[in-house]
Amino acid sequence: MLKKISILTMAVMGILSTQVYASNNPESAKNIADWRKTGTPEEQLKALVKVTPGTHHWMPEIAYRYQSFYWAAKQEKWDFAKYQIESMEKMMSRVGNARPKREPTAQKFSQAVFPVAYRAIESKQWAKVQQATSIMAGQCNACHAVNNYPYIVIPPVPTKPNSVVLGYPE
């Protein structure tokens, strides 16, 4: 039994070392077809879809923008708060474009959240920002629930982001 495990281990290590060698040796990589150059348009599209990040890739960035929006407004850094909402809006648009099955919920979120957030920034009133943030958190949670992620719960008062612009961590 031990002999079989040793042989299997050596075989796996041999395969892995070949893979590492090929990835670190440009000469051995010359014989590998590049799908960007040799693939049909259909194959290229399929490959691009495979390498396009999923929604989970953008969510931490969107959460960071949510945090930064809240704390920038609290510090009355209105331009920075607006920048966060603009960035979040662009990312939500990307989610809809890159993942068509998420597009309806991304659109619903965008329609419910961004107009309110922009009005809150324009008003420069903290109470309106708090309302916008509460709506935003509620819409995030509703979207998560509809997409079968009810355990991802966004608080109406986000934690402070790690941001040199906002002075965090203190």
PDB file of all heavy atoms in Angstrom, residues 117-141:
ATOM      1  N   ALA A 117     -29.322  58.245  -3.803  1.00  0.00           N
ATOM      2  CA  ALA A 117     -27.967  58.567  -3.335  1.00  0.00           C
ATOM      3  C   ALA A 117     -27.483  59.894  -3.919  1.00  0.00           C
ATOM      4  O   ALA A 117     -26.913  60.725  -3.194  1.00  0.00           O
ATOM      5  CB  ALA A 117     -27.007  57.439  -3.706  1.00  0.00           C
ATOM      6  N   TYR A 118     -27.716  60.107  -5.200  1.00  0.00           N
ATOM      7  CA  TYR A 118     -27.304  61.372  -5.815  1.00  0.00           C
ATOM      8  C   TYR A 118     -28.039  62.563  -5.201  1.00  0.00           C
ATOM      9  O   TYR A 118     -27.441  63.608  -4.949  1.00  0.00           O
ATOM     10  CB  TYR A 118     -27.510  61.350  -7.332  1.00  0.00           C
ATOM     11  CG  TYR A 118     -26.474  60.527  -8.074  1.00  0.00           C
ATOM     12  CD1 TYR A 118     -26.848  59.437  -8.843  1.00  0.00           C
ATOM     13  CD2 TYR A 118     -25.115  60.846  -8.018  1.00  0.00           C
ATOM     14  CE1 TYR A 118     -25.897  58.682  -9.536  1.00  0.00           C
ATOM     15  CE2 TYR A 118     -24.172  60.112  -8.696  1.00  0.00           C
ATOM     16  CZ  TYR A 118     -24.565  59.024  -9.457  1.00  0.00           C
ATOM     17  OH  TYR A 118     -23.621  58.285 -10.135  1.00  0.00           O
ATOM     18  N   ARG A 119     -29.335  62.396  -4.943  1.00  0.00           N
ATOM     19  CA  ARG A 119     -30.092  63.490  -4.313  1.00  0.00           C
ATOM     20  C   ARG A 119     -29.576  63.773  -2.900  1.00  0.00           C
ATOM     21  O   ARG A 119     -29.488  64.927  -2.481  1.00  0.00           O
ATOM     22  CB  ARG A 119     -31.588  63.169  -4.277  1.00  0.00           C
ATOM     23  CG  ARG A 119     -32.267  63.341  -5.624  1.00  0.00           C
ATOM     24  CD  ARG A 119     -33.788  63.355  -5.521  1.00  0.00           C
ATOM     25  NE  ARG A 119     -34.364  62.145  -4.947  1.00  0.00           N
ATOM     26  CZ  ARG A 119     -34.677  61.048  -5.635  1.00  0.00           C
ATOM     27  NH1 ARG A 119     -34.472  61.008  -6.941  1.00  0.00           N
ATOM     28  NH2 ARG A 119     -35.198  60.004  -5.032  1.00  0.00           N
ATOM     29  N   ALA A 120     -29.214  62.729  -2.188  1.00  0.00           N
ATOM     30  CA  ALA A 120     -28.679  62.918  -0.835  1.00  0.00           C
ATOM     31  C   ALA A 120     -27.371  63.695  -0.873  1.00  0.00           C
ATOM     32  O   ALA A 120     -27.152  64.602  -0.060  1.00  0.00           O
ATOM     33  CB  ALA A 120     -28.476  61.562  -0.160  1.00  0.00           C
ATOM     34  N   ILE A 121     -26.521  63.371  -1.829  1.00  0.00           N
ATOM     35  CA  ILE A 121     -25.244  64.082  -1.968  1.00  0.00           C
ATOM     36  C   ILE A 121     -25.493  65.538  -2.342  1.00  0.00           C
ATOM     37  O   ILE A 121     -24.885  66.449  -1.769  1.00  0.00           O
ATOM     38  CB  ILE A 121     -24.344  63.388  -3.015  1.00  0.00           C
ATOM     39  CG1 ILE A 121     -23.902  62.014  -2.515  1.00  0.00           C
ATOM     40  CG2 ILE A 121     -23.136  64.249  -3.352  1.00  0.00           C
ATOM     41  CD1 ILE A 121     -23.318  61.113  -3.582  1.00  0.00           C
ATOM     42  N   GLU A 122     -26.378  65.755  -3.298  1.00  0.00           N
ATOM     43  CA  GLU A 122     -26.679  67.129  -3.722  1.00  0.00           C
ATOM     44  C   GLU A 122     -27.247  67.966  -2.579  1.00  0.00           C
ATOM     45  O   GLU A 122     -26.953  69.160  -2.475  1.00  0.00           O
ATOM     46  CB  GLU A 122     -27.670  67.116  -4.895  1.00  0.00           C
ATOM     47  CG  GLU A 122     -27.044  66.624  -6.174  1.00  0.00           C
ATOM     48  CD  GLU A 122     -28.069  66.365  -7.282  1.00  0.00           C
ATOM     49  OE1 GLU A 122     -29.226  66.811  -7.162  1.00  0.00           O
ATOM     50  OE2 GLU A 122     -27.700  65.699  -8.263  1.00  0.00           O
ATOM     51  N   SER A 123     -28.031  67.339  -1.710  1.00  0.00           N
ATOM     52  CA  SER A 123     -28.637  68.082  -0.594  1.00  0.00           C
ATOM     53  C   SER A 123     -27.619  68.443   0.477  1.00  0.00           C
ATOM     54  O   SER A 123     -27.811  69.393   1.228  1.00  0.00           O
ATOM     55  CB  SER A 123     -29.754  67.254   0.049  1.00  0.00           C
ATOM     56  OG  SER A 123     -29.220  66.207   0.860  1.00  0.00           O
ATOM     57  N   LYS A 124     -26.544  67.648   0.570  1.00  0.00           N
ATOM     58  CA  LYS A 124     -25.514  67.821   1.601  1.00  0.00           C
ATOM     59  C   LYS A 124     -26.119  67.789   3.008  1.00  0.00           C
ATOM     60  O   LYS A 124     -25.668  68.483   3.906  1.00  0.00           O
ATOM     61  CB  LYS A 124     -24.707  69.103   1.363  1.00  0.00           C
ATOM     62  CG  LYS A 124     -23.949  69.062   0.048  1.00  0.00           C
ATOM     63  CD  LYS A 124     -23.088  70.274  -0.172  1.00  0.00           C
ATOM     64  CE  LYS A 124     -22.375  70.113  -1.509  1.00  0.00           C
ATOM     65  NZ  LYS A 124     -21.507  71.201  -1.838  1.00  0.00           N
ATOM     66  N   GLN A 125     -27.124  66.942   3.160  1.00  0.00           N
ATOM     67  CA  GLN A 125     -27.785  66.769   4.456  1.00  0.00           C
ATOM     68  C   GLN A 125     -27.536  65.349   4.960  1.00  0.00           C
ATOM     69  O   GLN A 125     -27.888  64.371   4.294  1.00  0.00           O
ATOM     70  CB  GLN A 125     -29.292  67.017   4.335  1.00  0.00           C
ATOM     71  CG  GLN A 125     -29.646  68.434   3.979  1.00  0.00           C
ATOM     72  CD  GLN A 125     -31.150  68.614   3.821  1.00  0.00           C
ATOM     73  OE1 GLN A 125     -31.947  67.862   4.373  1.00  0.00           O
ATOM     74  NE2 GLN A 125     -31.534  69.624   3.048  1.00  0.00           N
ATOM     75  N   TRP A 126     -26.967  65.276   6.142  1.00  0.00           N
ATOM     76  CA  TRP A 126     -26.606  63.986   6.706  1.00  0.00           C
ATOM     77  C   TRP A 126     -27.820  63.068   6.863  1.00  0.00           C
ATOM     78  O   TRP A 126     -27.743  61.866   6.592  1.00  0.00           O
ATOM     79  CB  TRP A 126     -25.879  64.177   8.031  1.00  0.00           C
ATOM     80  CG  TRP A 126     -25.543  62.883   8.698  1.00  0.00           C
ATOM     81  CD1 TRP A 126     -25.964  62.460   9.910  1.00  0.00           C
ATOM     82  CD2 TRP A 126     -24.736  61.828   8.172  1.00  0.00           C
ATOM     83  NE1 TRP A 126     -25.476  61.201  10.181  1.00  0.00           N
ATOM     84  CE2 TRP A 126     -24.710  60.803   9.112  1.00  0.00           C
ATOM     85  CE3 TRP A 126     -24.032  61.641   6.983  1.00  0.00           C
ATOM     86  CZ2 TRP A 126     -24.022  59.614   8.927  1.00  0.00           C
ATOM     87  CZ3 TRP A 126     -23.348  60.454   6.793  1.00  0.00           C
ATOM     88  CH2 TRP A 126     -23.345  59.467   7.753  1.00  0.00           C
ATOM     89  N   ALA A 127     -28.954  63.604   7.254  1.00  0.00           N
ATOM     90  CA  ALA A 127     -30.156  62.779   7.424  1.00  0.00           C
ATOM     91  C   ALA A 127     -30.559  62.111   6.104  1.00  0.00           C
ATOM     92  O   ALA A 127     -30.983  60.949   6.092  1.00  0.00           O
ATOM     93  CB  ALA A 127     -31.305  63.621   7.967  1.00  0.00           C
ATOM     94  N   LYS A 128     -30.408  62.810   4.997  1.00  0.00           N
ATOM     95  CA  LYS A 128     -30.742  62.228   3.696  1.00  0.00           C
ATOM     96  C   LYS A 128     -29.733  61.152   3.294  1.00  0.00           C
ATOM     97  O   LYS A 128     -30.087  60.172   2.650  1.00  0.00           O
ATOM     98  CB  LYS A 128     -30.859  63.311   2.633  1.00  0.00           C
ATOM     99  CG  LYS A 128     -32.090  64.186   2.865  1.00  0.00           C
ATOM    100  CD  LYS A 128     -32.400  65.046   1.682  1.00  0.00           C
ATOM    101  CE  LYS A 128     -33.665  65.829   2.036  1.00  0.00           C
ATOM    102  NZ  LYS A 128     -34.315  66.397   0.915  1.00  0.00           N
ATOM    103  N   VAL A 129     -28.483  61.356   3.672  1.00  0.00           N
ATOM    104  CA  VAL A 129     -27.467  60.335   3.401  1.00  0.00           C
ATOM    105  C   VAL A 129     -27.790  59.077   4.203  1.00  0.00           C
ATOM    106  O   VAL A 129     -27.703  57.957   3.686  1.00  0.00           O
ATOM    107  CB  VAL A 129     -26.047  60.847   3.730  1.00  0.00           C
ATOM    108  CG1 VAL A 129     -25.031  59.720   3.699  1.00  0.00           C
ATOM    109  CG2 VAL A 129     -25.655  61.958   2.760  1.00  0.00           C
ATOM    110  N   GLN A 130     -28.200  59.253   5.451  1.00  0.00           N
ATOM    111  CA  GLN A 130     -28.563  58.094   6.268  1.00  0.00           C
ATOM    112  C   GLN A 130     -29.744  57.346   5.659  1.00  0.00           C
ATOM    113  O   GLN A 130     -29.754  56.105   5.636  1.00  0.00           O
ATOM    114  CB  GLN A 130     -28.889  58.533   7.695  1.00  0.00           C
ATOM    115  CG  GLN A 130     -27.656  58.968   8.469  1.00  0.00           C
ATOM    116  CD  GLN A 130     -28.009  59.508   9.849  1.00  0.00           C
ATOM    117  OE1 GLN A 130     -28.773  60.455   9.976  1.00  0.00           O
ATOM    118  NE2 GLN A 130     -27.446  58.873  10.861  1.00  0.00           N
ATOM    119  N   GLN A 131     -30.725  58.079   5.152  1.00  0.00           N
ATOM    120  CA  GLN A 131     -31.864  57.442   4.480  1.00  0.00           C
ATOM    121  C   GLN A 131     -31.400  56.694   3.229  1.00  0.00           C
ATOM    122  O   GLN A 131     -31.814  55.555   2.987  1.00  0.00           O
ATOM    123  CB  GLN A 131     -32.918  58.483   4.092  1.00  0.00           C
ATOM    124  CG  GLN A 131     -33.678  59.060   5.257  1.00  0.00           C
ATOM    125  CD  GLN A 131     -34.596  60.206   4.815  1.00  0.00           C
ATOM    126  OE1 GLN A 131     -34.325  60.892   3.819  1.00  0.00           O
ATOM    127  NE2 GLN A 131     -35.671  60.409   5.561  1.00  0.00           N
ATOM    128  N   ALA A 132     -30.551  57.336   2.440  1.00  0.00           N
ATOM    129  CA  ALA A 132     -30.044  56.704   1.216  1.00  0.00           C
ATOM    130  C   ALA A 132     -29.257  55.439   1.542  1.00  0.00           C
ATOM    131  O   ALA A 132     -29.397  54.416   0.853  1.00  0.00           O
ATOM    132  CB  ALA A 132     -29.167  57.691   0.438  1.00  0.00           C
ATOM    133  N   THR A 133     -28.475  55.498   2.597  1.00  0.00           N
ATOM    134  CA  THR A 133     -27.673  54.342   2.995  1.00  0.00           C
ATOM    135  C   THR A 133     -28.571  53.209   3.478  1.00  0.00           C
ATOM    136  O   THR A 133     -28.329  52.041   3.169  1.00  0.00           O
ATOM    137  CB  THR A 133     -26.664  54.732   4.086  1.00  0.00           C
ATOM    138  OG1 THR A 133     -25.900  55.842   3.617  1.00  0.00           O
ATOM    139  CG2 THR A 133     -25.718  53.599   4.401  1.00  0.00           C
ATOM    140  N   SER A 134     -29.611  53.553   4.191  1.00  0.00           N
ATOM    141  CA  SER A 134     -30.557  52.540   4.654  1.00  0.00           C
ATOM    142  C   SER A 134     -31.260  51.876   3.470  1.00  0.00           C
ATOM    143  O   SER A 134     -31.412  50.649   3.434  1.00  0.00           O
ATOM    144  CB  SER A 134     -31.580  53.188   5.602  1.00  0.00           C
ATOM    145  OG  SER A 134     -32.490  52.226   6.063  1.00  0.00           O
ATOM    146  N   ILE A 135     -31.666  52.677   2.498  1.00  0.00           N
ATOM    147  CA  ILE A 135     -32.291  52.139   1.283  1.00  0.00           C
ATOM    148  C   ILE A 135     -31.301  51.248   0.545  1.00  0.00           C
ATOM    149  O   ILE A 135     -31.641  50.156   0.084  1.00  0.00           O
ATOM    150  CB  ILE A 135     -32.808  53.282   0.380  1.00  0.00           C
ATOM    151  CG1 ILE A 135     -34.015  53.949   1.030  1.00  0.00           C
ATOM    152  CG2 ILE A 135     -33.132  52.782  -1.029  1.00  0.00           C
ATOM    153  CD1 ILE A 135     -34.430  55.270   0.384  1.00  0.00           C
ATOM    154  N   MET A 136     -30.069  51.719   0.451  1.00  0.00           N
ATOM    155  CA  MET A 136     -29.038  50.964  -0.250  1.00  0.00           C
ATOM    156  C   MET A 136     -28.818  49.600   0.409  1.00  0.00           C
ATOM    157  O   MET A 136     -28.792  48.565  -0.273  1.00  0.00           O
ATOM    158  CB  MET A 136     -27.732  51.759  -0.263  1.00  0.00           C
ATOM    159  CG  MET A 136     -26.706  51.274  -1.241  1.00  0.00           C
ATOM    160  SD  MET A 136     -25.207  52.313  -1.258  1.00  0.00           S
ATOM    161  CE  MET A 136     -25.862  53.881  -1.809  1.00  0.00           C
ATOM    162  N   ALA A 137     -28.688  49.586   1.729  1.00  0.00           N
ATOM    163  CA  ALA A 137     -28.488  48.321   2.444  1.00  0.00           C
ATOM    164  C   ALA A 137     -29.686  47.400   2.237  1.00  0.00           C
ATOM    165  O   ALA A 137     -29.525  46.192   2.000  1.00  0.00           O
ATOM    166  CB  ALA A 137     -28.262  48.584   3.932  1.00  0.00           C
ATOM    167  N   GLY A 138     -30.882  47.957   2.309  1.00  0.00           N
ATOM    168  CA  GLY A 138     -32.083  47.150   2.095  1.00  0.00           C
ATOM    169  C   GLY A 138     -32.136  46.550   0.704  1.00  0.00           C
ATOM    170  O   GLY A 138     -32.499  45.375   0.529  1.00  0.00           O
ATOM    171  N   GLN A 139     -31.770  47.336  -0.300  1.00  0.00           N
ATOM    172  CA  GLN A 139     -31.756  46.845  -1.677  1.00  0.00           C
ATOM    173  C   GLN A 139     -30.658  45.798  -1.895  1.00  0.00           C
ATOM    174  O   GLN A 139     -30.859  44.829  -2.631  1.00  0.00           O
ATOM    175  CB  GLN A 139     -31.601  48.003  -2.663  1.00  0.00           C
ATOM    176  CG  GLN A 139     -32.826  48.882  -2.777  1.00  0.00           C
ATOM    177  CD  GLN A 139     -34.019  48.133  -3.334  1.00  0.00           C
ATOM    178  OE1 GLN A 139     -33.909  47.357  -4.284  1.00  0.00           O
ATOM    179  NE2 GLN A 139     -35.172  48.351  -2.741  1.00  0.00           N
ATOM    180  N   CYS A 140     -29.514  45.998  -1.262  1.00  0.00           N
ATOM    181  CA  CYS A 140     -28.447  44.980  -1.333  1.00  0.00           C
ATOM    182  C   CYS A 140     -28.973  43.660  -0.777  1.00  0.00           C
ATOM    183  O   CYS A 140     -28.833  42.603  -1.408  1.00  0.00           O
ATOM    184  CB  CYS A 140     -27.229  45.408  -0.511  1.00  0.00           C
ATOM    185  SG  CYS A 140     -26.228  46.725  -1.205  1.00  0.00           S
ATOM    186  N   ASN A 141     -29.584  43.726   0.393  1.00  0.00           N
ATOM    187  CA  ASN A 141     -30.072  42.512   1.044  1.00  0.00           C
ATOM    188  C   ASN A 141     -31.190  41.854   0.245  1.00  0.00           C
ATOM    189  O   ASN A 141     -31.240  40.622   0.140  1.00  0.00           O
ATOM    190  CB  ASN A 141     -30.506  42.832   2.470  1.00  0.00           C
ATOM    191  CG  ASN A 141     -29.326  43.253   3.327  1.00  0.00           C
ATOM    192  OD1 ASN A 141     -28.195  42.832   3.092  1.00  0.00           O
ATOM    193  ND2 ASN A 141     -29.573  44.104   4.295  1.00  0.00           N
TER     194      ASN A 141
END
